[in-house]
Amino acid sequence: MPDLPILLMIAGGVAALQILLLFWLLRRQNHHRVQAELYHEKLQQALSTQLHHVHVELQHMFQSGQQGIHEKITQGHLSSQQLISETVQRQMSDVREQIGHSFKQHANALTSHLQSLTEEIRTHLQSLTQQVNHRLTEGFEKTSSTFIDVVKRLTIIDEAQKKITELSSHVVSLQDILVDKRARGAFGEVQLAALIANMIPASHYSMQYTLSNKKRADCILFLPEPTGNVVIDAKFPLETYQKLMNTTPSSVERKSLQQQFRQDLQKHIKDIAEKYIIPNETTDGAVMFIPAEAIFAEVHANYPEVIAMSQRLKVWLVSPSTLMAVLTTARAVLKDDATRKQVHIIQKHLHALADDFQRFEKRMDKLTKHMDLAHQDVNEVNTSAKKISQRFQKIESVELENHEVKVELELAEALPMD
């Protein structure tokens, strides 16, 4: 048991050592804690200082970077604007070349179309003018021939009047001329032929014309309907009238001669009515030519019953002067008939001319429509060219505003400074 105190001492020393060691450990741990706190504070201060420096450096770098970005954006804006301007100018020059080429093509096409249309119009107008001139020339030629015919007829009338005047100045006594019946008949026929030849065209009368009843008429006038053919007889009974003129007014045989003359006239009128009035061949009347104005006046003054009979039988008594009036009327009828025929021809040509002018009017309407359409197309092309030119002017004079660059600048300015 002697070792027990030693063991107790050793145990106490170990315990004391343990207590000391624990105290040292606690104290060391406290020291380390304090150092750790100090180090933490120093570290925190160092970190704060470094963070401040980093913040300052970052702020400086941000400002310099923002300035560089602003400079780059400005340079990009200028380069973009220059690039856009060059691109627009190139595109404008290309568009101008294309528009100029298109305008040249359209102008050439329009010019060729207008030239072809002009040639076609000129051709139609020339053909129409030739047709109109031809029709007018034909109408004028026919009208001129008609007027020439009229002038010729008037000349014939003047010559006939001159010949009648000359004939009246050179006429001799009926007693010397009218020796026998043949001479008297020849005198009347010659006088009648001269009058008719000077008044009526040769195609509208015939001397010594044989009718369907085999009777020979001294003269027949071929007049248009409804007048028809008119027979003129020149064989006037002059023997009794010559004897009557050779007697004195108080002579006893004068009454018998007057009665004989009346009977001769009545018989001759009946013969003319029977021989020369033929239905469907001649007109319903005939003409008895009395070759002396004195005999004509004697008959109308002293033989009214003969005049009444001639009117009843439609045998018209005429003297040289009244025959001239009848022939003038017949000539007027022929002239009117010829004029009606010419008027018909003229009306026909005028209708044809009216048709030509209607076709000309239709073609002119079509031409006007084509010209209006061409004019409208030219106006539309001109309007389009003006609009394109205005747009080019606006593009050239406009100040370009780059919306995207403005937005980037606004965003850069809106960034926080810390």
Side-chain angles (χ1 to χ4, degrees), residues 211-230:
L211 301 172
S212 60
N213 57 3
K214 306 302 180 182
K215 302 297 182 180
R216 185 183 296 274
D218 295 329
C219 179
I220 185 170
L221 301 179
F222 303 113
L223 301 179
E225 295 296 336
T227 304
N229 301 330
V230 179

Side-chain angles (χ1 to χ4, degrees), residues 31-48:
H31 177 70
H32 284 300
R33 185 176 63 76
V34 171
Q35 288 182 351
E37 288 179 356
L38 290 174
Y39 179 75
H40 180 70
E41 288 179 359
K42 290 180 180 179
L43 182 61
Q44 188 174 5
Q45 289 178 359
L47 288 174
S48 296

Side-chain angles (χ1 to χ4, degrees), residues 70-136:
H70 182 71
E71 290 177 357
K72 289 181 180 180
I73 289 172
T74 304
Q75 291 177 358
H77 173 69
L78 292 175
S79 62
S80 298
Q81 186 174 3
Q82 185 177 2
L83 182 61
I84 290 171
S85 178
E86 292 176 355
T87 305
V88 168
Q89 288 180 357
R90 286 196 302 268
Q91 291 179 353
M92 283 172 58
S93 61
D94 293 337
V95 171
R96 284 177 179 174
E97 289 178 359
Q98 292 178 359
I99 290 175
H101 183 66
S102 178
F103 280 167
K104 286 181 181 178
Q105 288 180 349
H106 285 295
N108 292 330
L110 185 61
T111 302
S112 61
H113 179 69
L114 288 175
Q115 287 178 354
S116 61
L117 187 62
T118 303
E119 290 296 330
E120 185 179 358
I121 292 168
R122 185 179 293 110
T123 304
H124 286 303
L125 287 176
Q126 286 178 356
S127 62
L128 183 60
T129 303
Q130 290 177 357
Q131 292 179 2
V132 171
N133 290 332
H134 181 66
R135 296 291 176 82
L136 290 176

